[in-house]
């Protein structure tokens, strides 16, 4: 049975493992080993995951199937690039699914959860960055009505890559208000 739950501080270790593995599966073959190792060590250490889970501007959702964590998504409320022009934006900072579970509805469930949570919290724009060469992810986001609005650099170890920035509008419900509380 598939479940999407909000991650807590106790999930830092499992988040670290699924984040490292899913990122490596997505980009390891196209990256220099030393760049990948440096990025994984910096971005997905247990300490970094614990800090992110403690940040009130970050919300992480875990996808589990039969008690195994198979993917995750992260929403991050922070300043956005100037090309993101929609009102009340929040970033979909990460959405990753372990390779063997791609195509099984896990990404769809994570995306739906992020859209619902962002809308309920009063955000009206969801934006993200996606590597220009990640054609599968770009097609996935287009199916969810994201459109390209700009680009920025992404440093993977010492390799400066180009991410395409995409955004989509969220429904406005009239009862939502932005607050400083966590999603």
């Amino acid at each position: 049975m598939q479940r999407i739950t909000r991650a807590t501080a106790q999930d830092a270790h499992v988040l670290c493992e699924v984040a490292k593995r899913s990122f490596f599966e997505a980009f390891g073959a196209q990256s220099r080993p030393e760049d990948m190792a440096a990025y994984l060590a910096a971005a997905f250490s247990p300490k970094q995951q614990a800090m992110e889970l403690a940040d009130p501007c970050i919300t992480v959702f875990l996808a589990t199937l039969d008690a195994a964590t198979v993917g995750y998504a992260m929403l991050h409320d922070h300043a956005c690039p100037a090309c993101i022009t929609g009102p009340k934006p929040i970033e979909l900072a990460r959405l990753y699914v372990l390779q063997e579970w791609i195509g099984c509805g896990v990404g769809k469930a994570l995306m739906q959860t992020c859209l619902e949570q962002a809308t309920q919290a009063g955000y009206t724009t969801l934006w993200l960055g996606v590597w220009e060469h990640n054609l599968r992810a770009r097609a996935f986001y287009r199916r969810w009505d994201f459109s390209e609005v700009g680009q920025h650099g992404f440093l993977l170890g010492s390799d400066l890559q180009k991410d395409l920035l995409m955004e989509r509008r969220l429904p406005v419900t009239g009862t939502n208000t932005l607050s400083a509380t966590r999603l």
Side-chain angles (χ1 to χ4, degrees):
M1 181 172 88
Q2 180 175 296
R3 289 186 44 213
I4 306 294
T5 57
R6 187 172 300 180
T8 67
Q10 291 74 30
D11 296 312
H13 180 72
V14 71
L15 179 59
C16 175
E17 294 306 312
V18 76
K20 281 182 180 179
R21 182 173 161 202
S22 60
F23 192 88
F24 182 81
E25 288 175 350
F27 308 113
Q30 301 92 357
S31 304
R32 292 188 306 251
E34 61 273 17
D35 288 328
M36 180 58 66
Y39 185 79
L40 293 176
F44 302 123
S45 69
K47 180 180 177 182
Q48 179 64 31
Q49 295 314 292
M51 287 179 10
E52 290 175 358
L53 288 170
D55 187 331
C57 295
I58 293 175
T59 302
V60 176
F61 300 100
L62 298 176
T64 57
L65 282 170
D66 300 327
T69 302
V70 299
Y72 76 106
M74 175 190 287
L75 293 174
H76 190 183
D77 182 6
H78 63 107
C80 61
C83 64
I84 305 301
T85 59
K88 299 179 186 172
I90 188 167
E91 181 184 16
L92 176 58
R94 298 182 187 145
L95 194 157
Y96 288 96
V97 176
L98 295 177
Q99 188 69 40
E100 66 263 30
W101 298 105
I102 291 176
C104 296
V106 177
K108 177 181 178 180
L110 285 166
M111 178 62 81
Q112 191 63 48
T113 298
C114 289
L115 292 170
E116 290 169 1
Q117 292 296 310
T119 299
Q120 288 174 9
Y123 296 95
T124 58
T125 303
L126 188 61
W127 69 277
L128 58 88
V130 59
W131 186 38
E132 66 178 329
H133 299 296
N134 191 343
L135 302 180
R136 175 184 274 168
R138 289 172 61 190
F140 175 80
Y141 295 131
R142 280 193 299 276
R143 285 192 304 275
W144 285 92
D145 297 325
F146 284 87
S147 57
E148 294 177 17
V149 295
Q151 59 187 349
H152 71 177
F154 178 86
L155 194 58
L156 181 78
S158 63
D159 182 18
L160 182 59
Q161 300 178 352
K162 181 169 65 171
D163 273 5
L164 302 175
L165 299 178
M166 303 177 85
E167 74 175 8
R168 70 160 279 174
R169 298 295 167 98
L170 300 173
V172 178
T173 62
T175 59
N176 296 340
T177 57
L178 282 173
S179 70
T181 60
R182 193 176 175 136
L183 290 174

